[in-house]
Amino acid sequence: MTSLLLTLRPTPEETRTKFAKRLVGNSLGGVAAALILLCDPGPYAVAALVGVSGAAAYAFRPADYVYWSLASPVLLLLLSDFDEPVPWYATAVRVALNLAGGCVALLATRLLWPTTRAAAAARSARGRGRSRT
């Protein structure tokens, strides 16, 4: 549900753009986190990776949302690895949940807004009813 709320935008085009950035970024970030966890880094290496990726994510987020989407799985999965080791396939679960949230957002886009073709037809139909004097 959080994915849906963070992805929906006022127009279908904006939602599609946000959806694509979130989907690609979180998927690639999940793969990166899985690779890092497969290397079994020590606590100091994890702290350094969390610091660097978090600083980069917050610094570059105003430039483009995809930077935050790339870093958030790394941050979340590495931070959750401190208490007890998280298996590398936890990232696959995160990617699957992200895909499910993205699909819900895509369905919501289809249900909440008319297609571009239908909206254009409705506009032209409204325009035909006016007199052009």
Side-chain angles (χ1 to χ4, degrees), residues 14-101:
E14 290 177 54
T15 301
R16 279 188 216 104
T17 302
K18 186 84 166 201
F19 165 76
K21 288 179 180 181
R22 186 171 180 80
L23 190 66
V24 170
N26 274 297
S27 298
L28 292 176
V31 169
L35 293 173
I36 291 168
L37 290 171
L38 276 172
C39 295
D40 196 27
Y44 295 115
V46 169
L49 287 168
V50 166
V52 168
S53 63
Y58 280 105
F60 291 118
R61 182 172 183 330
D64 198 347
Y65 180 75
V66 78
Y67 294 117
W68 175 253
S69 293
L70 280 166
S72 65
V74 175
L75 292 172
L76 292 173
L77 291 166
L78 290 179
L79 285 173
S80 66
D81 194 45
F82 274 119
D83 288 342
E84 59 185 52
V86 175
W88 65 269
Y89 57 83
T91 59
V93 172
R94 179 167 172 75
V95 169
L97 290 174
N98 190 48
L99 288 171

